Amino acid sequence: MAQENTSPGTPAPHPVPHAHSAGHAAPSVPPAEPTPATWGRVDEEGTVYVFTAEGERTVGVWQAGTPEEGLLHYARRFDDVRTEVELLETRLNSGAGDPKHALTSATQIRDGLGEAAVVGDLTALAARIEYVIGVAEKALAAVKQEREQARTAAIARKQALADEAEKIAAESTQWKVAGDRLRSILDEWKTVKGVDRKTDDELWKRFSKARESFNRRRGSHFAELDKQRASAKHRKEELIAEAEALSDSDDWGATAGRYKDLMAEWKAAGRAPKDSDEALWQRFRAAQDAFFARRSAVFSERDAEFAGNATRKEELLVEAEKIDAGANLEAAKSALRRIQEQWDEIGKVPRERIRELDGRLKAVQDKVKSAEDSRWRRTDPEAQARAAQFRERVEQFEAQAEKARAAGDERRAKKADEQAAQWREWLKAAEAAVADR
C-alpha cells in the first residue's frame, strides 16, 4: 500500500496498489503516467520519492520545474520500463524472441529495479518481471529440450549412416551402386547438424574409415579384374590365331568340331578389356564365318551333285524294275549286273534318299536271286556243272575284288567280296549236294 504524510515536516508513506494475477495470466501493471502522485512524491527541496512496500525510496532530485512535472517525468520513465517488459513478453509469446536474450534482459531489469529512478507500481512491475522471467525460463528449457532432441536424432542418424557405410565397406560387391550410395550418404551427412564436436568427430572417423576401406577393396577388385582381362585378352588372341589358321581347311567335319571347341574355350576365357573385347570377337567370328561360308558353298554344290545322282539312280531303278527274271534268267542277271555297275559309278545320293533307293534296288536283286534259286533247284541233276559254274563265279568276283582293291576302289572291292561270299555259299551247297550223291 502507499503511505501518507503524518506531519508537515515528514511525509508518511502512501499505500502502494499492485495487481494480482489470476491463474497463469500475466500480472497486470498499471501505467504510472495518468496518476503519478499515486506512486510517489516530491518534497520542498525537490527530492523525488517512490512508494514501495518497504516505505519511501529516493529516486532523484527535481529542480527544473514544478513537483507535478517532476513526478510525471519519473512516471514516464517507469512506463518505459513497463513497456520494455511487456515487449519482452510479447516477443516471447509470439515465438519471435530469443528466450536466452529475454531472460538476460528481464533479469537485468529485475536486479536493477531496487535502484531504478522511476515512479510507479514497483510491486506489480516486479511481479510482471518475475512472470516474464518464468516464461523465458520455460521457453529456454523448451529450446534446450528441442535442441537435445534434435542432437539425439542427429547423432542417431549419423550413427545409422556410419553403420550403413561400414556394412557396405565390408560386404557389398555391387561396386557402382555401393559407390553411389556412399556419395549419397556423404551428401546427407553434410546436412545433419546439431551434433557436438567430439561425437561428430568420432562418427566422422567411422564413416571416413568405411569409405577408405570400400575404396581399397574396390580398387583391389578392379586391379584383379584388369589382370584377369589382360589374361583373357592374351588367351583370346591365341584362339583367334588358331581360328584364322583353320579358316582355309577342307577337313570339314574335324574343323567344324574344332571350331565348336574353340567357341567353348572363348566363352571360358572371360572378358577382355572393354576397349578391345569387341574387336577381338569380330576377328574370331570372321575366321569362323570364312570357314563355314566355304563349307556351305561346297556342301551346296555337293548336295546339288547328290540330287542329280539320285535322279540318275531313279532312272536306273525304272529300268531294273522292268527286269523279268522268269522269262530269261540269264538276260535278267546280265541286265542286273550292268545296272549294278552303273549304280556304283553314279556315286552318292542325299543321305535321306539312301534307304529308299537302295531298298528298291535290293528288291530287284532279291527277285533275280529268287528266280536263280528256283532254277538251281529245277536243274539239280546238273549239280556238278553248277558247282563248277559257282566256283567260276566265286573266282570272278574274287578277281574283281582284287583288281578293285589294287585300283584303290575299296567300295567296289567290298561289293565284289560280298558277291564272292554269296556265290561261295551257293558253291558249298552245290558241292554238298554232289558229295551226298
Side-chain angles (χ1 to χ4, degrees):
M1 294 293 293
Q3 296 178 337
E4 297 180 353
N5 291 333
T6 57
S7 66
T10 306
H14 288 203
V16 180
H18 58 85
H20 298 276
S21 61
H24 296 290
S28 176
V29 181
E33 184 178 353
T35 57
T38 305
W39 316 107
R41 70 184 182 86
V42 181
D43 65 11
E44 291 80 355
E45 285 81 21
T47 302
V48 182
Y49 299 90
V50 63
F51 304 145
T52 71
E54 292 79 22
E56 293 182 331
R57 175 172 66 80
T58 301
V59 295
V61 177
W62 181 257
Q63 302 290 340
T66 64
E68 290 76 13
E69 290 174 342
L71 280 178
L72 184 60
H73 170 74
Y74 285 99
R76 285 173 177 168
R77 294 182 66 177
F78 174 89
D79 286 345
D80 288 343
V81 176
R82 171 181 174 271
T83 299
E84 184 179 355
V85 173
E86 289 178 348
L87 182 59
L88 290 174
E89 180 184 349
T90 300
R91 291 178 62 82
L92 281 173
N93 290 336
S94 69
D98 177 4
K100 184 176 181 180
H101 177 267
L103 179 61
T104 300
S105 298
T107 301
Q108 288 175 347
I109 295 172
R110 181 194 64 186
D111 294 345
L113 195 59
E115 298 177 355
V118 297
V119 171
D121 190 346
L122 294 179
T123 301
L125 181 57
R128 186 63 169 263
I129 293 172
E130 291 296 339
Y131 175 83
V132 172
I133 289 174
V135 172
E137 288 174 340
K138 289 181 180 178
L140 188 59
V143 169
K144 287 183 178 179
Q145 183 178 8
E146 289 176 1
R147 287 178 179 172
E148 185 59 30
Q149 289 175 345
R151 174 181 172 277
T152 301
I155 290 174
R157 183 55 189 153
K158 285 198 170 181
Q159 285 176 335
L161 292 175
D163 290 343
E164 183 181 355
E166 288 171 343
K167 183 176 178 63
I168 290 173
E171 301 175 7
S172 180
T173 56
Q174 299 294 322
W175 306 112
K176 185 179 185 309
V177 173
D180 290 345
R181 178 54 189 153
L182 285 175
R183 283 190 290 274
S184 297
I185 290 175
L186 178 59
D187 292 340
E188 182 179 352
W189 188 282
K190 295 175 181 178
T191 67
V192 179
K193 307 296 183 180
V195 180
D196 62 277
R197 181 177 295 277
K198 179 181 178 182
T199 304
D200 198 51
D201 287 346
E202 291 174 353
L203 291 173
W204 172 254
K205 287 178 182 178
R206 285 179 56 194
F207 173 65
S208 181
K209 182 178 179 182
R211 276 204 310 166
E212 291 173 0
S213 175
F214 172 79
N215 289 334
R216 284 195 302 271
R217 196 160 60 86
R218 179 175 60 179
S220 176
H221 166 78
F222 282 107
E224 180 62 26
L225 188 60
D226 288 343
K227 181 179 178 181
Q228 292 174 1
R229 288 181 173 176
S231 176
K233 180 181 179 182
H234 178 71
R235 178 58 183 145
K236 286 185 173 182
E237 287 171 341
E238 292 177 341
L239 295 175
I240 289 171
E242 183 175 353
E244 290 174 343
L246 289 172
S247 63
D248 293 331
S249 173
D250 293 333
D251 189 357
W252 310 116
T255 305
R258 181 55 187 154
Y259 271 120
K260 182 178 180 180
D261 294 340
L262 288 176
M263 178 61 76
E265 293 176 33
W266 182 276
K267 293 178 180 179
R271 292 185 62 84
K274 187 176 181 180
D275 60 353
S276 60
D277 199 54
E278 179 61 23
L280 292 171
W281 166 248
Q282 293 299 334
R283 286 181 58 196
F284 181 72
R285 188 174 67 176
Q288 289 188 96
D289 290 348
F291 167 78
F292 285 108
R294 288 177 52 252
R295 188 184 73 158
S296 178
V298 170
F299 280 11
S300 295
E301 182 179 351
R302 187 193 65 180
D303 290 345
E305 177 187 346
F306 285 4
N309 292 346
T311 299
R312 293 171 60 192
K313 285 191 175 183
E314 285 177 335
E315 294 171 353
L316 284 178
L317 285 171
V318 171
E319 183 181 349
E321 288 168 350
K322 292 179 181 179
I323 292 175
D324 186 359
N328 187 335
L329 180 59
E330 291 303 322
K333 290 164 62 178
S334 176
L336 180 58
R337 283 194 300 274
R338 176 178 55 77
I339 289 173
Q340 287 174 328
E341 290 173 357
Q342 293 178 12
W343 184 279
D344 294 338
E345 290 173 356
I346 288 172
K348 295 182 179 180
V349 299
R351 184 184 299 273
E352 65 274 11
R353 300 292 308 278
I354 293 176
R355 178 176 293 184
E356 169 206 347
L357 297 174
D358 284 355
R360 287 174 62 186
L361 180 62
K362 186 176 184 303
V364 174
Q365 292 172 338
D366 290 346
K367 184 172 66 173
V368 173
K369 181 177 180 298
S370 176
E372 192 169 24
D373 289 347
S374 296
R375 190 182 73 172
W376 181 80
R377 288 191 295 272
R378 289 195 304 271
T379 59
D380 186 63
E382 301 173 10
Q384 187 70 39
R386 285 198 301 275
Q389 181 185 7
F390 292 166
R391 188 177 296 106
E392 180 182 355
R393 295 306 299 274
V394 169
E395 291 172 355
Q396 288 176 352
F397 284 117
E398 286 177 343
Q400 288 178 13
E402 183 177 353
K403 182 179 179 181
R405 192 167 284 110
D409 192 345
E410 188 61 31
R411 180 184 57 76
R412 182 167 292 182
K414 182 178 179 182
K415 185 72 173 179
D417 284 339
E418 292 173 352
Q419 291 174 319
Q422 182 64 64
W423 283 101
R424 197 176 289 109
E425 290 296 320
W426 293 342
L427 174 59
K428 286 171 63 177
E431 288 176 344
V434 171
D436 289 340
R437 285 191 175 87

